[in-house]
């Protein structure tokens, strides 16, 4: 009897280890691994510039792991999958689930279309510790607040699936290679702007495993305290690897548990709870499909956002005249990453001090972040704006000067990204506008020439934001 052939459809699970769909496909016989560059995505959800760069390298890494057997396509996944099942007389298609609302809709349609054609679509959980529909509050409704979601929902549920060993053997169906190559997807930028990003990262399954191993050896031991200091390598930097599924959260969770056991440890608990925030963000977009684009708190539909392309541009380019904000925006531009503490500071500055809609910030992050992720990005922005589930209260306006003085006390972070300020004494580094003329002159800084004057007065803009918030309170 001929060995059955199935399709394994890779999406945001670009790995061979702990890949439930790949394991299931291999258990069923021979496989054809495919990647489909989906052209049916909503326009504003096409991969951003930096994620395209990452995807190019990650697909190459996966192709190497599959000994060059990855078949690449571009178009409508439903049409492509159906035509492949017809062409090669395939009954079963395997994939791991994605939770973005448009992916959920698309995947349901594909399952139905396969069924109508007498085939089967099998989907698995390959990227979350707990499925969004398995975690509910006492009345069976989705959670809206993080702490009960994580403590009473997730941690009180059965533990996450233990990572699977990679398939003992992968047997590939002997078919002609697809016409497209990874290069044909044209994911790399035409102009060479990605050198800084290339220096900062190693996309792919091996890069992800190295990152995790380094983190477990070192930074995890100081995670709770060091994670807030942007000049310190105090976090895992696993976010893009997790986004692309080069490593599963289950691998991370159990690697930590195996290394440190279940004993009480504040560093481990805090780190695992950050994975919990990732779960929460996916829980939100699954249960509230509008969440990525619409205010979760509808009062914010009345918020008097300002439109100012000049201010938005200054923020994007790291030219606001507020050093820690500019440092963050430049780090983002050069490395495709920004430290979490700084994401909160630049986010608060945009939506509160500049009164610019959080969706503008979300869109810029989407284009520039290597870890751009619909769930985490929209949850982060709605949290900062105060419009989200369990959000920071709107009246909590981060003061970028105090934040800088607290979390970048010696100024290493600001000096690294705003070198024009590097000679300023620490006392003025986070507020150069307060420095006297002599200090500025001896530090080689003329405000307005070498470094911008602040775009807004922090105190006045804070009051303006609070007044705007007061206006929508009663809505
Ligand atoms: C405005 C804003 C936008 C953000 N956009 C994104 C985004 O597009 N993609 C993204 O992955 N994260 C986003 N975050 C969350 C967070 O900043 C990053 O996940 C984190 O900085 C990644 O660095 P790390 O891997 O070293 O994190 P670590 O501190 O090592 O955390 C480990 C993992 O936990 C998850 N995680 C940590 N913090 C959060 C969080 N607050 N929310 C959800 N998951 C979290 C990430 O997967 C991360 O890799 C955003 C935060 C804010 C405030």
């Amino acid at each position: 009897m001929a060995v059955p052939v199935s399709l394994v459809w890779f999406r945001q699970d670009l790995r061979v280890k702990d890949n439930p769909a790949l394991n299931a496909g291999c258990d069923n016989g021979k496989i054809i691994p495919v990647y489909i560059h989906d052209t049916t995505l909503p326009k504003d959800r096409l991969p951003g510039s930096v994620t395209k760069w990452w995807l190019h390298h990650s697909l190459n890494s996966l192709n190497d792991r599959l000994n060059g057997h990855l078949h690449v396509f571009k178009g409508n996944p439903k049409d492509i999958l159906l035509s492949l099942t017809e062409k090669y007389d395939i009954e079963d298609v395997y994939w791991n689930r994605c939770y973005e609302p448009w992916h959920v809709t698309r995947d349901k349609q594909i399952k139905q279309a396969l069924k109508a054609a007498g085939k089967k679509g099998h989907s698995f959980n390959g990227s979350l510790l707990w499925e969004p529909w398995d975690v509910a509050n006492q009345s069976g409704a989705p959670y809206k607040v993080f702490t009960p979601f994580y403590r009473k929902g997730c941690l009180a549920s059965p533990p996450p699936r233990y990572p699977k060993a990679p398939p003992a053997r992968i047997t590939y169906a002997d078919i002609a290679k697809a016409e497209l190559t990874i290069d044909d997807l044209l994911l790399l930028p035409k102009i060479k702007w990605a050198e800084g990003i290339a220096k900062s990262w190693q996309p792919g399954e091996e890069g992800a495993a190295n990152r995790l191993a380094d983190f477990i050896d070192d930074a995890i031991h100081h995670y709770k305290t060091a994670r807030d200091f942007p000049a310190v390598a105090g976090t895992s930097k696993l976010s893009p690897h997790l986004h692309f599924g080069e490593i599963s959260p289950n691998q991370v969770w159990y690697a930590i548990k195996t290394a440190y056991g279940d004993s009480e440890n504040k560093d481990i608990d805090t780190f695992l709870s950050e994975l919990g925030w990732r779960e929460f963000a996916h829980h939100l977009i699954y249960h509230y499909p509008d969440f990525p684009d619409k205010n979760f708190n509808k009062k914010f539909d009345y918020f008097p956002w300002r439109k100012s392309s000049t201010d938005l541009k200054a923020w994007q380019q790291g030219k606001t005249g507020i050093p820690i904000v500019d440092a963050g925006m430049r780090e983002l531009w050069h490395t495709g990453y920004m430290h979490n503490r700084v994401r909160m500071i630049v986010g608060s500055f945009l939506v509160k001090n500049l009164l610019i809609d959080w969706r503008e910030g979300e869109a810029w992050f989407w284009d520039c972040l290597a870890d751009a992720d619909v769930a985490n990005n929209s949850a982060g922005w709605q949290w900062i704006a105060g419009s989200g589930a369990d959000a920071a209260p709107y009246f909590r306006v981060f003061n970028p000067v105090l934040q800088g003085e607290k979390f970048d006390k010696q100024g290493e972070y600001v000096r690294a990204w705003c070198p024009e300020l590097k000679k300023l004494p620490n006392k003025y580094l986070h507020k150069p506008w307060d420095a006297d003329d002599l200090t500025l002159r001896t530090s080689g800084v003329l405000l307005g020439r070498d470094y911008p004057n602040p775009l807004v007065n922090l105190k006045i803009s804070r009051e303006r934001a609070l007044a705007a918030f007061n206006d929508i309170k009663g809505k």
Side-chain angles (χ1 to χ4, degrees):
M1 209 175 80
V3 179
V5 173
S6 16
L7 290 178
V8 177
W9 179 24
F10 284 89
R11 298 117 61 89
Q12 284 165 199
D13 53 345
L14 306 180
R15 64 179 185 273
V16 167
K17 287 186 182 164
D18 191 37
N19 186 322
L22 175 64
N23 280 56
C26 292
D27 288 347
N28 197 40
K30 296 184 181 179
I31 63 158
I32 303 175
V34 298
Y35 176 78
I36 302 170
H37 200 62
D38 187 350
T39 51
T40 68
L41 291 175
K43 243 195 180 140
D44 54 349
R45 294 302 176 187
L46 294 169
S49 311
V50 181
T51 46
K52 279 203 291 195
W53 173 90
W54 192 290
L55 184 59
H56 173 89
H57 294 289
S58 194
L59 287 173
N60 274 303
S61 155
L62 177 67
N63 191 31
D64 290 346
R65 305 273 295 157
L66 298 170
N67 292 328
H69 285 92
L70 185 66
H71 294 261
V72 175
F73 300 89
K74 185 173 181 171
N76 181 334
K78 187 165 97 187
D79 298 344
I80 293 169
L81 291 171
L82 277 167
S83 99
L84 287 170
T85 55
E86 288 304 324
K87 186 168 174 190
Y88 297 111
D89 195 19
I90 287 169
E91 203 169 301
D92 299 287
V93 184
Y94 296 89
W95 66 79
N96 293 311
R97 289 179 204 111
C98 295
Y99 300 87
E100 292 80 2
W102 43 95
H103 284 154
V104 173
T105 310
R106 175 196 70 181
D107 293 353
K108 272 189 195 148
Q109 288 167 353
I110 292 177
K111 253 191 195 171
Q112 279 162 4
L114 285 169
K115 193 169 172 200
K119 323 271 180 191
K120 276 180 255 156
H122 308 266
S123 63
F124 299 83
N125 176 3
S127 50
L128 289 181
L129 297 165
W130 291 276
E131 289 285 19
W133 48 87
D134 285 339
V135 181
N137 68 18
Q138 278 182 336
S139 45
Y143 282 99
K144 293 181 186 173
V145 178
F146 173 72
T147 303
F149 163 80
Y150 183 59
R151 302 265 161 220
K152 293 193 186 148
C154 300
L155 295 184
S157 299
R161 169 181 63 71
Y162 195 77
K164 288 173 179 295
R169 189 184 160 83
I170 305 180
T171 315
Y172 301 98
D174 188 17
I175 62 163
K177 196 78 187 177
E179 276 168 29
L180 281 187
T181 65
I182 296 167
D183 286 350
D184 294 331
L185 297 178
L186 302 178
L187 298 168
L188 289 180
K190 286 198 190 89
I191 306 165
K192 284 199 170 176
W193 49 256
E195 274 106 350
I197 295 172
K199 270 192 216 142
S200 311
W201 302 99
Q202 183 194 357
E205 195 167 359
E206 198 187 331
N210 291 341
R211 232 355 140 187
L212 176 62
D214 288 351
F215 179 63
I216 286 180
D217 271 355
D218 188 7
I220 184 78
H221 300 290
H222 329 279
Y223 182 77
K224 190 170 187 324
T225 40
R227 65 183 291 266
D228 268 321
F229 297 88
V232 174
T235 65
S236 70
K237 291 217 170 169
L238 280 168
S239 48
H241 300 290
L242 281 164
H243 169 74
F244 283 97
E246 298 166 355
I247 195 163
S248 71
N250 307 61
Q251 288 171 290
V252 179
W253 182 272
Y254 283 104
I256 303 270
K257 292 255 177 202
T258 308
Y260 301 102
D262 275 329
S263 52
E264 291 243 321
N265 176 321
K266 57 185 177 13
D267 294 305
I268 308 293
D269 284 353
T270 310
F271 178 73
L272 294 180
S273 78
E274 292 308 317
L275 292 179
W277 276 100
R278 178 177 180 273
E279 298 287 309
F280 185 50
H282 286 80
H283 183 83
L284 290 173
I285 61 160
Y286 180 79
H287 289 293
Y288 306 100
D290 275 353
F291 190 89
D293 306 304
K294 304 249 163 73
N295 297 309
F296 188 73
N297 176 346
K298 296 296 168 213
K299 282 184 184 176
F300 277 80
D301 291 352
Y302 301 94
F303 197 83
W305 300 115
R306 276 175 70 236
K307 282 214 178 306
S308 165
S309 52
T310 324
D311 288 1
L312 179 62
K313 209 166 168 191
W315 177 81
Q316 291 171 338
Q317 295 181 339
K319 292 183 181 166
T320 66
I322 312 290
I324 192 126
V325 173
D326 294 341
M329 299 310 292
R330 296 179 197 185
E331 180 190 21
L332 174 64
W333 182 256
H334 286 280
T335 67
Y337 181 81
M338 192 194 298
H339 188 276
N340 181 60
R341 167 69 40 191
V342 190
R343 291 187 204 204
M344 295 192 283
I345 300 170
V346 305
S348 173
F349 183 76
L350 183 78
V351 295
K352 295 180 182 174
N353 298 96
L354 296 183
L355 282 192
I356 291 181
D357 195 324
W358 61 268
R359 282 158 285 216
E360 294 284 3
E362 196 269 350
W364 184 251
F365 271 28
W366 178 257
D367 199 34
C368 298
L369 276 173
D371 64 25
D373 179 274
V374 170
N376 291 354
N377 202 24
S378 55
W381 277 99
Q382 293 230 42
W383 185 88
I384 269 296
S387 61
D390 196 11
Y394 189 83
F395 53 80
R396 183 168 172 214
V397 181
F398 281 67
N399 179 323
V401 175
L402 298 181
Q403 290 282 315
E405 288 172 349
K406 183 166 178 193
F407 296 109
D408 187 35
K409 204 169 176 179
Q410 300 307 323
E412 291 116 307
Y413 182 72
V414 161
R415 287 196 175 88
W417 294 108
C418 303
E420 65 272 41
L421 300 178
K422 75 172 179 249
K423 290 193 188 139
L424 270 182
N426 286 352
K427 187 173 171 199
Y428 297 115
L429 187 66
H430 292 287
K431 44 180 180 194
W433 56 89
D434 269 1
D436 53 85
D437 284 350
L438 181 64
T439 307
L440 285 170
R441 221 173 320 119
T442 48
S443 307
V445 182
L446 179 62
L447 289 179
R449 185 194 66 186
D450 307 308
Y451 185 71
N453 280 302
L455 205 52
V456 282
N457 174 299
L458 292 174
K459 189 162 177 278
I460 296 173
S461 58
R462 176 177 188 275
E463 279 156 13
R464 179 177 65 173
L466 294 180
F469 178 60
N470 264 333
D471 283 352
I472 63 158
K473 250 186 183 165
K475 299 278 184 195

